[in-house]
PDB file of all heavy atoms in Angstrom:
ATOM      1  N   SER A 698      84.140  95.943  92.646  1.00 98.00           N
ATOM      2  CA  SER A 698      85.502  95.725  93.171  1.00 98.00           C
ATOM      3  C   SER A 698      85.472  94.737  94.312  1.00 98.00           C
ATOM      4  O   SER A 698      84.440  94.755  95.086  1.00 98.00           O
ATOM      5  CB  SER A 698      86.018  97.141  93.681  1.00 98.00           C
ATOM      6  OG  SER A 698      86.032  98.054  92.635  1.00 98.00           O
ATOM      7  N   TYR A 699      86.507  93.962  94.534  1.00 98.00           N
ATOM      8  CA  TYR A 699      86.552  93.003  95.421  1.00 98.00           C
ATOM      9  C   TYR A 699      87.806  93.101  96.216  1.00 98.00           C
ATOM     10  O   TYR A 699      89.015  93.266  95.526  1.00 98.00           O
ATOM     11  CB  TYR A 699      86.522  91.576  94.896  1.00 98.00           C
ATOM     12  CG  TYR A 699      85.255  91.436  93.907  1.00 98.00           C
ATOM     13  CD1 TYR A 699      85.433  91.782  92.597  1.00 98.00           C
ATOM     14  CD2 TYR A 699      84.115  90.965  94.418  1.00 98.00           C
ATOM     15  CE1 TYR A 699      84.331  91.620  91.744  1.00 98.00           C
ATOM     16  CE2 TYR A 699      83.020  90.917  93.509  1.00 98.00           C
ATOM     17  CZ  TYR A 699      83.087  91.150  92.220  1.00 98.00           C
ATOM     18  OH  TYR A 699      82.107  91.037  91.343  1.00 98.00           O
ATOM     19  N   GLY A 700      87.864  93.111  97.518  1.00 98.00           N
ATOM     20  CA  GLY A 700      89.025  93.267  98.314  1.00 98.00           C
ATOM     21  C   GLY A 700      89.256  92.233  99.427  1.00 98.00           C
ATOM     22  O   GLY A 700      88.213  91.938 100.039  1.00 98.00           O
ATOM     23  N   LEU A 701      90.494  91.968  99.677  1.00 98.00           N
ATOM     24  CA  LEU A 701      90.791  91.173 100.760  1.00 98.00           C
ATOM     25  C   LEU A 701      91.887  91.894 101.657  1.00 98.00           C
ATOM     26  O   LEU A 701      92.912  92.304 101.088  1.00 98.00           O
ATOM     27  CB  LEU A 701      91.342  89.730 100.347  1.00 98.00           C
ATOM     28  CG  LEU A 701      91.980  88.874 101.518  1.00 98.00           C
ATOM     29  CD1 LEU A 701      90.923  88.478 102.553  1.00 98.00           C
ATOM     30  CD2 LEU A 701      92.666  87.639 100.907  1.00 98.00           C
ATOM     31  N   GLU A 702      91.686  92.190 102.892  1.00 98.00           N
ATOM     32  CA  GLU A 702      92.620  92.958 103.697  1.00 98.00           C
ATOM     33  C   GLU A 702      92.846  92.133 105.069  1.00 98.00           C
ATOM     34  O   GLU A 702      91.943  91.473 105.579  1.00 98.00           O
ATOM     35  CB  GLU A 702      91.956  94.363 104.119  1.00 98.00           C
ATOM     36  CG  GLU A 702      91.478  95.171 102.886  1.00 98.00           C
ATOM     37  CD  GLU A 702      90.059  94.834 102.480  1.00 98.00           C
ATOM     38  OE1 GLU A 702      89.288  94.404 103.332  1.00 98.00           O
ATOM     39  OE2 GLU A 702      89.861  94.978 101.143  1.00 98.00           O
ATOM     40  N   GLY A 703      93.985  92.350 105.669  1.00 97.00           N
ATOM     41  CA  GLY A 703      94.278  91.722 106.869  1.00 97.00           C
ATOM     42  C   GLY A 703      95.582  92.267 107.522  1.00 97.00           C
ATOM     43  O   GLY A 703      96.311  92.959 106.874  1.00 97.00           O
ATOM     44  N   PHE A 704      95.740  92.016 108.774  1.00 97.00           N
ATOM     45  CA  PHE A 704      96.840  92.496 109.579  1.00 97.00           C
ATOM     46  C   PHE A 704      97.119  91.543 110.698  1.00 97.00           C
ATOM     47  O   PHE A 704      96.178  90.861 111.142  1.00 97.00           O
ATOM     48  CB  PHE A 704      96.624  93.964 110.124  1.00 97.00           C
ATOM     49  CG  PHE A 704      95.724  93.891 111.293  1.00 97.00           C
ATOM     50  CD1 PHE A 704      96.207  93.880 112.657  1.00 97.00           C
ATOM     51  CD2 PHE A 704      94.284  94.121 111.153  1.00 97.00           C
ATOM     52  CE1 PHE A 704      95.378  93.948 113.753  1.00 97.00           C
ATOM     53  CE2 PHE A 704      93.405  94.134 112.221  1.00 97.00           C
ATOM     54  CZ  PHE A 704      93.993  94.088 113.558  1.00 97.00           C
ATOM     55  N   TYR A 705      98.365  91.604 111.176  1.00 97.00           N
ATOM     56  CA  TYR A 705      98.729  90.730 112.323  1.00 97.00           C
ATOM     57  C   TYR A 705      99.822  91.555 113.055  1.00 97.00           C
ATOM     58  O   TYR A 705     100.846  91.960 112.445  1.00 97.00           O
ATOM     59  CB  TYR A 705      99.205  89.378 111.919  1.00 97.00           C
ATOM     60  CG  TYR A 705      99.495  88.553 113.146  1.00 97.00           C
ATOM     61  CD1 TYR A 705      98.552  87.887 113.783  1.00 97.00           C
ATOM     62  CD2 TYR A 705     100.799  88.352 113.703  1.00 97.00           C
ATOM     63  CE1 TYR A 705      98.677  87.142 114.892  1.00 97.00           C
ATOM     64  CE2 TYR A 705     101.080  87.577 114.759  1.00 97.00           C
ATOM     65  CZ  TYR A 705      99.986  86.932 115.382  1.00 97.00           C
ATOM     66  OH  TYR A 705     100.215  86.287 116.493  1.00 97.00           O
ATOM     67  N   GLN A 706      99.638  91.758 114.374  1.00 96.00           N
ATOM     68  CA  GLN A 706     100.542  92.459 115.245  1.00 96.00           C
ATOM     69  C   GLN A 706     101.472  91.328 115.972  1.00 96.00           C
ATOM     70  O   GLN A 706     101.014  90.664 116.872  1.00 96.00           O
ATOM     71  CB  GLN A 706      99.979  93.428 116.253  1.00 96.00           C
ATOM     72  CG  GLN A 706     100.939  94.136 117.022  1.00 96.00           C
ATOM     73  CD  GLN A 706     100.287  95.216 117.766  1.00 96.00           C
ATOM     74  OE1 GLN A 706      99.058  95.533 117.731  1.00 96.00           O
ATOM     75  NE2 GLN A 706     101.115  95.980 118.548  1.00 96.00           N
ATOM     76  N   PHE A 707     102.622  91.158 115.449  1.00 96.00           N
ATOM     77  CA  PHE A 707     103.580  90.062 116.020  1.00 96.00           C
ATOM     78  C   PHE A 707     103.990  90.468 117.397  1.00 96.00           C
ATOM     79  O   PHE A 707     104.201  89.620 118.301  1.00 96.00           O
ATOM     80  CB  PHE A 707     104.755  89.880 115.195  1.00 96.00           C
ATOM     81  CG  PHE A 707     104.379  89.297 113.784  1.00 96.00           C
ATOM     82  CD1 PHE A 707     104.153  90.151 112.736  1.00 96.00           C
ATOM     83  CD2 PHE A 707     104.455  87.943 113.635  1.00 96.00           C
ATOM     84  CE1 PHE A 707     103.778  89.649 111.463  1.00 96.00           C
ATOM     85  CE2 PHE A 707     104.129  87.454 112.299  1.00 96.00           C
ATOM     86  CZ  PHE A 707     103.761  88.289 111.364  1.00 96.00           C
ATOM     87  N   SER A 708     104.194  91.806 117.704  1.00 95.00           N
ATOM     88  CA  SER A 708     104.780  92.343 119.003  1.00 95.00           C
ATOM     89  C   SER A 708     104.293  93.686 119.165  1.00 95.00           C
ATOM     90  O   SER A 708     103.770  94.376 118.198  1.00 95.00           O
ATOM     91  CB  SER A 708     106.225  92.144 119.103  1.00 95.00           C
ATOM     92  OG  SER A 708     106.863  93.039 118.343  1.00 95.00           O
ATOM     93  N   PRO A 709     104.412  94.305 120.304  1.00 93.00           N
ATOM     94  CA  PRO A 709     104.142  95.697 120.519  1.00 93.00           C
ATOM     95  C   PRO A 709     104.895  96.640 119.485  1.00 93.00           C
ATOM     96  O   PRO A 709     104.475  97.769 119.322  1.00 93.00           O
ATOM     97  CB  PRO A 709     104.463  95.979 121.857  1.00 93.00           C
ATOM     98  CG  PRO A 709     104.397  94.665 122.567  1.00 93.00           C
ATOM     99  CD  PRO A 709     104.873  93.679 121.613  1.00 93.00           C
ATOM    100  N   HIS A 710     106.013  96.120 119.012  1.00 95.00           N
ATOM    101  CA  HIS A 710     106.871  96.962 118.089  1.00 95.00           C
ATOM    102  C   HIS A 710     107.031  96.450 116.578  1.00 95.00           C
ATOM    103  O   HIS A 710     107.773  96.922 115.952  1.00 95.00           O
ATOM    104  CB  HIS A 710     108.259  97.040 118.703  1.00 95.00           C
ATOM    105  CG  HIS A 710     108.241  97.601 120.154  1.00 95.00           C
ATOM    106  ND1 HIS A 710     107.907  98.951 120.419  1.00 95.00           N
ATOM    107  CD2 HIS A 710     108.620  96.991 121.397  1.00 95.00           C
ATOM    108  CE1 HIS A 710     108.068  99.112 121.753  1.00 95.00           C
ATOM    109  NE2 HIS A 710     108.404  97.989 122.253  1.00 95.00           N
ATOM    110  N   PHE A 711     106.100  95.553 116.250  1.00 96.00           N
ATOM    111  CA  PHE A 711     106.190  95.061 114.976  1.00 96.00           C
ATOM    112  C   PHE A 711     104.780  94.533 114.468  1.00 96.00           C
ATOM    113  O   PHE A 711     104.193  93.685 115.234  1.00 96.00           O
ATOM    114  CB  PHE A 711     107.164  93.955 114.695  1.00 96.00           C
ATOM    115  CG  PHE A 711     107.252  93.387 113.350  1.00 96.00           C
ATOM    116  CD1 PHE A 711     107.407  94.128 112.222  1.00 96.00           C
ATOM    117  CD2 PHE A 711     106.985  92.032 113.166  1.00 96.00           C
ATOM    118  CE1 PHE A 711     107.414  93.582 110.884  1.00 96.00           C
ATOM    119  CE2 PHE A 711     107.015  91.432 111.869  1.00 96.00           C
ATOM    120  CZ  PHE A 711     107.287  92.339 110.770  1.00 96.00           C
ATOM    121  N   ALA A 712     104.357  95.029 113.265  1.00 96.00           N
ATOM    122  CA  ALA A 712     103.059  94.581 112.927  1.00 96.00           C
ATOM    123  C   ALA A 712     103.106  94.499 111.267  1.00 96.00           C
ATOM    124  O   ALA A 712     103.938  95.284 110.656  1.00 96.00           O
ATOM    125  CB  ALA A 712     101.838  95.472 113.215  1.00 96.00           C
ATOM    126  N   MET A 713     102.275  93.645 110.703  1.00 97.00           N
ATOM    127  CA  MET A 713     102.206  93.617 109.276  1.00 97.00           C
ATOM    128  C   MET A 713     100.864  93.676 108.752  1.00 97.00           C
ATOM    129  O   MET A 713      99.913  93.057 109.363  1.00 97.00           O
ATOM    130  CB  MET A 713     102.882  92.297 108.774  1.00 97.00           C
ATOM    131  CG  MET A 713     102.903  92.130 107.274  1.00 97.00           C
ATOM    132  SD  MET A 713     103.867  90.561 106.717  1.00 97.00           S
ATOM    133  CE  MET A 713     102.725  89.355 107.308  1.00 97.00           C
ATOM    134  N   ASN A 714     100.612  94.300 107.673  1.00 97.00           N
ATOM    135  CA  ASN A 714      99.315  94.342 106.974  1.00 97.00           C
ATOM    136  C   ASN A 714      99.519  94.068 105.499  1.00 97.00           C
ATOM    137  O   ASN A 714     100.511  94.277 104.882  1.00 97.00           O
ATOM    138  CB  ASN A 714      98.578  95.615 107.246  1.00 97.00           C
ATOM    139  CG  ASN A 714      99.045  96.705 106.484  1.00 97.00           C
ATOM    140  OD1 ASN A 714     100.199  97.220 106.670  1.00 97.00           O
ATOM    141  ND2 ASN A 714      98.241  97.270 105.408  1.00 97.00           N
ATOM    142  N   ALA A 715      98.303  93.566 104.920  1.00 98.00           N
ATOM    143  CA  ALA A 715      98.526  93.269 103.454  1.00 98.00           C
ATOM    144  C   ALA A 715      97.083  93.423 102.940  1.00 98.00           C
ATOM    145  O   ALA A 715      95.992  93.388 103.609  1.00 98.00           O
ATOM    146  CB  ALA A 715      99.046  91.929 103.237  1.00 98.00           C
ATOM    147  N   TYR A 716      97.061  93.661 101.606  1.00 98.00           N
ATOM    148  CA  TYR A 716      95.716  93.734 100.909  1.00 98.00           C
ATOM    149  C   TYR A 716      95.956  93.406  99.453  1.00 98.00           C
ATOM    150  O   TYR A 716      96.933  93.386  98.813  1.00 98.00           O
ATOM    151  CB  TYR A 716      95.087  95.117 101.079  1.00 98.00           C
ATOM    152  CG  TYR A 716      95.757  96.176 100.392  1.00 98.00           C
ATOM    153  CD1 TYR A 716      95.832  96.462  99.046  1.00 98.00           C
ATOM    154  CD2 TYR A 716      96.549  97.163 101.133  1.00 98.00           C
ATOM    155  CE1 TYR A 716      96.480  97.481  98.384  1.00 98.00           C
ATOM    156  CE2 TYR A 716      97.254  98.236 100.622  1.00 98.00           C
ATOM    157  CZ  TYR A 716      97.208  98.352  99.252  1.00 98.00           C
ATOM    158  OH  TYR A 716      97.918  99.471  98.655  1.00 98.00           O
ATOM    159  N   LEU A 717      94.679  92.841  98.904  1.00 98.00           N
ATOM    160  CA  LEU A 717      94.713  92.461  97.428  1.00 98.00           C
ATOM    161  C   LEU A 717      93.387  92.959  96.952  1.00 98.00           C
ATOM    162  O   LEU A 717      92.378  92.729  97.542  1.00 98.00           O
ATOM    163  CB  LEU A 717      94.890  90.975  97.392  1.00 98.00           C
ATOM    164  CG  LEU A 717      94.553  90.404  95.924  1.00 98.00           C
ATOM    165  CD1 LEU A 717      95.490  90.892  94.918  1.00 98.00           C
ATOM    166  CD2 LEU A 717      94.440  88.809  95.974  1.00 98.00           C
ATOM    167  N   GLY A 718      93.398  93.682  95.844  1.00 98.00           N
ATOM    168  CA  GLY A 718      92.113  94.168  95.255  1.00 98.00           C
ATOM    169  C   GLY A 718      92.015  93.900  93.818  1.00 98.00           C
ATOM    170  O   GLY A 718      92.984  93.991  93.071  1.00 98.00           O
ATOM    171  N   TYR A 719      90.805  93.768  93.319  1.00 98.00           N
ATOM    172  CA  TYR A 719      90.476  93.671  91.958  1.00 98.00           C
ATOM    173  C   TYR A 719      89.222  94.440  91.522  1.00 98.00           C
ATOM    174  O   TYR A 719      88.223  94.353  92.285  1.00 98.00           O
ATOM    175  CB  TYR A 719      90.269  92.181  91.638  1.00 98.00           C
ATOM    176  CG  TYR A 719      89.701  91.965  90.133  1.00 98.00           C
ATOM    177  CD1 TYR A 719      90.426  92.241  88.960  1.00 98.00           C
ATOM    178  CD2 TYR A 719      88.375  91.520  89.951  1.00 98.00           C
ATOM    179  CE1 TYR A 719      89.954  92.014  87.728  1.00 98.00           C
ATOM    180  CE2 TYR A 719      87.864  91.313  88.815  1.00 98.00           C
ATOM    181  CZ  TYR A 719      88.537  91.613  87.662  1.00 98.00           C
ATOM    182  OH  TYR A 719      88.116  91.456  86.394  1.00 98.00           O
ATOM    183  N   THR A 720      89.339  95.267  90.532  1.00 98.00           N
ATOM    184  CA  THR A 720      88.192  95.981  90.098  1.00 98.00           C
ATOM    185  C   THR A 720      87.960  95.715  88.583  1.00 98.00           C
ATOM    186  O   THR A 720      88.918  95.803  87.746  1.00 98.00           O
ATOM    187  CB  THR A 720      88.420  97.574  90.227  1.00 98.00           C
ATOM    188  OG1 THR A 720      88.657  97.827  91.613  1.00 98.00           O
ATOM    189  CG2 THR A 720      87.244  98.358  89.702  1.00 98.00           C
ATOM    190  N   GLN A 721      86.787  95.455  88.318  1.00 97.00           N
ATOM    191  CA  GLN A 721      86.312  95.156  86.829  1.00 97.00           C
ATOM    192  C   GLN A 721      85.414  96.368  86.491  1.00 97.00           C
ATOM    193  O   GLN A 721      84.383  96.632  87.069  1.00 97.00           O
ATOM    194  CB  GLN A 721      85.475  93.947  86.624  1.00 97.00           C
ATOM    195  CG  GLN A 721      85.194  93.661  85.177  1.00 97.00           C
ATOM    196  CD  GLN A 721      84.450  92.403  84.967  1.00 97.00           C
ATOM    197  OE1 GLN A 721      83.241  92.368  85.428  1.00 97.00           O
ATOM    198  NE2 GLN A 721      85.037  91.454  84.282  1.00 97.00           N
ATOM    199  N   ALA A 722      85.884  97.150  85.395  1.00 96.00           N
ATOM    200  CA  ALA A 722      85.057  98.240  84.951  1.00 96.00           C
ATOM    201  C   ALA A 722      84.430  97.829  83.561  1.00 96.00           C
ATOM    202  O   ALA A 722      85.078  97.282  82.730  1.00 96.00           O
ATOM    203  CB  ALA A 722      86.080  99.520  84.706  1.00 96.00           C
ATOM    204  N   LYS A 723      83.178  98.238  83.567  1.00 95.00           N
ATOM    205  CA  LYS A 723      82.400  97.837  82.324  1.00 95.00           C
ATOM    206  C   LYS A 723      81.989  99.242  81.667  1.00 95.00           C
ATOM    207  O   LYS A 723      81.475 100.173  82.286  1.00 95.00           O
ATOM    208  CB  LYS A 723      81.193  97.134  82.682  1.00 95.00           C
ATOM    209  CG  LYS A 723      81.513  95.761  83.213  1.00 95.00           C
ATOM    210  CD  LYS A 723      80.172  94.967  83.541  1.00 95.00           C
ATOM    211  CE  LYS A 723      80.509  93.587  84.074  1.00 95.00           C
ATOM    212  NZ  LYS A 723      79.259  92.842  84.262  1.00 95.00           N
ATOM    213  N   ASN A 724      82.306  99.286  80.344  1.00 94.00           N
ATOM    214  CA  ASN A 724      81.975 100.554  79.606  1.00 94.00           C
ATOM    215  C   ASN A 724      80.443 100.632  79.590  1.00 94.00           C
ATOM    216  O   ASN A 724      79.708  99.671  79.382  1.00 94.00           O
ATOM    217  CB  ASN A 724      82.496 100.319  78.164  1.00 94.00           C
ATOM    218  CG  ASN A 724      82.306 101.682  77.433  1.00 94.00           C
ATOM    219  OD1 ASN A 724      82.088 102.814  78.058  1.00 94.00           O
ATOM    220  ND2 ASN A 724      82.508 101.589  76.062  1.00 94.00           N
ATOM    221  N   SER A 725      79.974 101.876  79.860  1.00 88.00           N
ATOM    222  CA  SER A 725      78.500 102.154  79.861  1.00 88.00           C
ATOM    223  C   SER A 725      78.263 103.453  79.078  1.00 88.00           C
ATOM    224  O   SER A 725      78.819 104.486  79.366  1.00 88.00           O
ATOM    225  CB  SER A 725      78.079 102.313  81.287  1.00 88.00           C
ATOM    226  OG  SER A 725      76.684 102.607  81.397  1.00 88.00           O
ATOM    227  N   PRO A 726      77.335 103.329  78.077  1.00 83.00           N
ATOM    228  CA  PRO A 726      76.565 102.204  77.786  1.00 83.00           C
ATOM    229  C   PRO A 726      77.184 101.268  76.554  1.00 83.00           C
ATOM    230  O   PRO A 726      76.533 100.445  76.092  1.00 83.00           O
ATOM    231  CB  PRO A 726      75.235 102.875  77.147  1.00 83.00           C
ATOM    232  CG  PRO A 726      75.829 104.121  76.502  1.00 83.00           C
ATOM    233  CD  PRO A 726      77.055 104.540  77.357  1.00 83.00           C
ATOM    234  N   GLY A 727      78.371 101.451  76.280  1.00 81.00           N
ATOM    235  CA  GLY A 727      79.006 100.684  75.100  1.00 81.00           C
ATOM    236  C   GLY A 727      79.512  99.401  75.540  1.00 81.00           C
ATOM    237  O   GLY A 727      79.163  98.892  76.643  1.00 81.00           O
ATOM    238  N   ASN A 728      80.363  98.740  74.826  1.00 88.00           N
ATOM    239  CA  ASN A 728      80.942  97.447  75.013  1.00 88.00           C
ATOM    240  C   ASN A 728      82.361  97.582  75.577  1.00 88.00           C
ATOM    241  O   ASN A 728      83.107  98.677  75.408  1.00 88.00           O
ATOM    242  CB  ASN A 728      80.952  96.584  73.951  1.00 88.00           C
ATOM    243  CG  ASN A 728      79.543  96.356  73.222  1.00 88.00           C
ATOM    244  OD1 ASN A 728      78.649  96.122  74.175  1.00 88.00           O
ATOM    245  ND2 ASN A 728      79.370  96.300  71.982  1.00 88.00           N
ATOM    246  N   GLY A 729      82.931  96.640  76.222  1.00 91.00           N
ATOM    247  CA  GLY A 729      84.230  96.644  76.739  1.00 91.00           C
ATOM    248  C   GLY A 729      84.398  96.551  78.199  1.00 91.00           C
ATOM    249  O   GLY A 729      83.558  97.131  78.926  1.00 91.00           O
ATOM    250  N   ASN A 730      85.336  95.807  78.583  1.00 94.00           N
ATOM    251  CA  ASN A 730      85.689  95.678  80.072  1.00 94.00           C
ATOM    252  C   ASN A 730      87.116  96.056  80.335  1.00 94.00           C
ATOM    253  O   ASN A 730      88.000  95.997  79.433  1.00 94.00           O
ATOM    254  CB  ASN A 730      85.421  94.212  80.585  1.00 94.00           C
ATOM    255  CG  ASN A 730      84.055  93.823  80.464  1.00 94.00           C
ATOM    256  OD1 ASN A 730      83.131  94.682  80.630  1.00 94.00           O
ATOM    257  ND2 ASN A 730      83.858  92.657  80.185  1.00 94.00           N
ATOM    258  N   ALA A 731      87.477  96.451  81.547  1.00 95.00           N
ATOM    259  CA  ALA A 731      88.880  96.684  81.932  1.00 95.00           C
ATOM    260  C   ALA A 731      89.203  95.948  83.217  1.00 95.00           C
ATOM    261  O   ALA A 731      88.332  96.133  84.272  1.00 95.00           O
ATOM    262  CB  ALA A 731      89.067  98.203  82.079  1.00 95.00           C
ATOM    263  N   ASP A 732      90.222  95.359  83.261  1.00 97.00           N
ATOM    264  CA  ASP A 732      90.635  94.606  84.617  1.00 97.00           C
ATOM    265  C   ASP A 732      91.726  95.386  85.277  1.00 97.00           C
ATOM    266  O   ASP A 732      92.801  95.646  84.697  1.00 97.00           O
ATOM    267  CB  ASP A 732      91.126  93.167  84.280  1.00 97.00           C
ATOM    268  CG  ASP A 732      90.108  92.262  83.542  1.00 97.00           C
ATOM    269  OD1 ASP A 732      88.952  92.359  84.035  1.00 97.00           O
ATOM    270  OD2 ASP A 732      90.449  91.552  82.618  1.00 97.00           O
ATOM    271  N   ILE A 733      91.492  95.765  86.584  1.00 97.00           N
ATOM    272  CA  ILE A 733      92.375  96.514  87.309  1.00 97.00           C
ATOM    273  C   ILE A 733      92.750  95.769  88.724  1.00 97.00           C
ATOM    274  O   ILE A 733      91.968  95.310  89.340  1.00 97.00           O
ATOM    275  CB  ILE A 733      91.701  97.885  87.736  1.00 97.00           C
ATOM    276  CG1 ILE A 733      91.177  98.711  86.426  1.00 97.00           C
ATOM    277  CG2 ILE A 733      92.578  98.815  88.511  1.00 97.00           C
ATOM    278  CD1 ILE A 733      90.097  99.547  86.427  1.00 97.00           C
TER     279      ILE A 733
END
C-alpha cells in the first residue's frame, strides 16, 4: 500500500487535509491481483 497525505491550516478557523491511497493485493499462494 502506498499513501500520500497532507494538510494546510489557512487560518485559526479553517484547515484542509487530503489523502490518496493505493493498495495492490496479490493472491497467495495462487494467481491474481486486485487494485484498490
